[in-house]
Amino acid sequence: MTYALSILLPTYNDVCVDLVNALHAQAATIDNLQFEIIVGDDGSTDLSAVEENRKIENLPNTRYIVSQENRGRAVIRNILARQAKYSRLLFIDSDLTVIRQDFMLKYLQQPDEGVVYGGYEVCSGGEDLTNNLRYLYEISTRDSHTVEKRKQAPYRDFHTGNFLVSRNIFLNHPLDERFRHYGHEDVLWGKQLKEQNIPILHIDNPLGFCTFEDNSHFVSKTEEGLRTLHLFRDDLQDYSRLLTLVNRLDSLGLSAVARSAFQPFRRLMRRQLCGRRPSLLVFRIYQLGYYLSI
C-alpha cells in the first residue's frame, strides 16, 4: 500500500528543528510513504528562532513558510492545509516532542475518514518543575486526557496539537478565522464537527508535552484565553466547564458577589501565581475571578 501524508506544523517564536528532524527521520523509514513537512511561521517576533528554523529547509520534502504578520492560530492552520499537496494532513504543534518510535506509523494505520486525535503526554525530562505553574496544571489534569476519558466526550476533549484529518474535510470545514488570539479555536471546531456528524476517533498516540513557559507567560496566556472565551461565549456554551460554572453563578445571583470578592485580591493573587510558589487553588480562583471581571 502507498501512503501520502502532509505533516503541518504551525509555529510562533518556537525553534522546532529537533521536532522536524524527528518526524522526518520516522517518515523516511516507512516504505511506500510519500510525505512532505511544511512549517508555517505565524509572524514570529523572535528573529533568532526564525533564522534557526530555516535549517529545516535543508531536509528534502520540507518547506518553511514565514508570514510577515501574526494572523492567529486558526488562520495559520488553514493556510497550511491549503498549501498541502497530499490527501491526509497531520497537524502537530511546534512545541511538542516525539516520544514514540512508531508515532508516524500508527497514524498511517488509521482509517481515512473523520478525524483522529492522538493526545499528549506530560514529561519533565528529569528537570525539577515543582515551581512551574504550567507543569503543575498539566500534571493535575493529565488523568482527563487519557484515551478512556477522551472517548467519553470525544468532541469536547479534542485539541489541535496532534491530529490527523483528510484534506477534504479540513478544507470544507476550516477553523473559524474570527479567532485571532490565543485559545478555544479547537473547542469550537470540535463542536462544529459534531454538528456535521464528522467522527473523531481517539487513539493512544501521544506526543510529549515537555517544554513549559515561565509562570508570568503562562498567566498572561491564560488571561488571553479567558478574554477569547468571553468573546465567543455564545458559541462555546456546553463546551467549557468554566462557562458552565459562570452560568450557575448567574442563575443563583452570585456573579456580582464573586466579582466583588475577587477585586481586592486580584493583584496579590497574580503576583503569587507569577512567583516561585504558585498554587493551583489560587490559579483556579483567579481564572473565575478574571473571567467575571472582563
Side-chain angles (χ1 to χ4, degrees), residues 58-125:
N58 294 328
L59 294 169
N61 308 317
T62 303
R63 284 190 285 156
Y64 182 46
I65 302 170
V66 181
S67 173
Q68 297 305 308
E69 60 178 320
N70 180 255
R71 302 175 65 185
R73 292 157 57 89
V75 172
I76 191 63
R77 285 165 173 79
N78 291 343
I79 289 173
L80 285 168
R82 292 193 296 269
Q83 289 280 333
K85 65 181 180 180
Y86 293 125
S87 61
R88 304 183 87 186
L89 312 179
L90 177 57
F91 279 94
I92 294 174
D93 278 358
S94 64
D95 59 350
L96 298 178
T97 303
V98 175
I99 56 175
R100 295 193 179 181
Q101 293 300 315
D102 63 345
F103 171 76
M104 197 79 64
L105 186 60
K106 192 164 185 177
Y107 266 131
L108 293 174
Q109 295 168 343
Q110 303 307 314
D112 287 340
E113 64 273 8
V115 176
V116 185
Y117 175 50
Y120 66 90
E121 184 176 304
V122 181
C123 49
S124 66

Side-chain angles (χ1 to χ4, degrees), residues 148-158 202 239 241:
E148 293 73 20
K149 284 289 186 180
R150 287 190 269 123
K151 287 180 177 178
Q152 294 175 15
Y155 293 95
R156 189 171 66 183
D157 289 333
F158 167 80
H202 288 262
Y239 277 74
R241 294 179 179 86

Side-chain angles (χ1 to χ4, degrees), residues 56-230:
I56 292 164
E57 295 189 301
N58 294 328
L59 294 169
N61 308 317
T62 303
R63 284 190 285 156
Y64 182 46
I65 302 170
V66 181
S67 173
Q68 297 305 308
E69 60 178 320
N70 180 255
R71 302 175 65 185
R73 292 157 57 89
V75 172
I76 191 63
R77 285 165 173 79
N78 291 343
I79 289 173
L80 285 168
R82 292 193 296 269
Q83 289 280 333
K85 65 181 180 180
Y86 293 125
S87 61
R88 304 183 87 186
L89 312 179
L90 177 57
F91 279 94
I92 294 174
D93 278 358
S94 64
D95 59 350
L96 298 178
T97 303
V98 175
I99 56 175
R100 295 193 179 181
Q101 293 300 315
D102 63 345
F103 171 76
M104 197 79 64
L105 186 60
K106 192 164 185 177
Y107 266 131
L108 293 174
Q109 295 168 343
Q110 303 307 314
D112 287 340
E113 64 273 8
V115 176
V116 185
Y117 175 50
Y120 66 90
E121 184 176 304
V122 181
C123 49
S124 66
E127 186 180 355
D128 182 8
L129 295 170
T130 53
N131 292 323
N132 183 279
L133 181 58
R134 180 65 183 269
Y135 176 75
L136 296 175
Y137 172 76
E138 294 295 341
I139 288 294
S140 73
T141 62
R142 63 181 172 183
D143 288 344
S144 66
H145 299 303
T146 64
V147 175
E148 293 73 20
K149 284 289 186 180
R150 287 190 269 123
K151 287 180 177 178
Q152 294 175 15
Y155 293 95
R156 189 171 66 183
D157 289 333
F158 167 80
H159 303 281
T160 52
N162 173 23
F163 75 100
L164 180 73
V165 62
S166 79
R167 186 171 183 269
N168 283 339
I169 286 178
F170 196 87
L171 292 181
N172 289 328
H173 305 280
L175 291 169
D176 191 326
E177 295 190 358
R178 293 177 300 161
F179 285 75
R180 298 298 300 270
H181 300 287
Y182 176 78
H184 304 289
E185 77 287 338
D186 49 359
V187 179
L188 182 58
W189 198 59
K191 179 181 178 181
Q192 292 169 339
L193 292 178
K194 183 177 182 180
E195 292 170 347
Q196 297 296 321
N197 295 313
I198 298 171
I200 296 181
L201 174 64
H202 288 262
I203 66 171
D204 180 30
N205 195 30
L207 289 165
F209 189 179
C210 311
T211 304
F212 307 92
E213 62 266 74
D214 62 40
N215 294 345
S216 179
H217 281 92
F218 180 53
V219 172
S220 295
K221 183 186 288 187
T222 298
E223 293 168 343
E224 184 178 2
L226 290 168
R227 294 192 296 272
T228 300
L229 179 62
H230 185 269

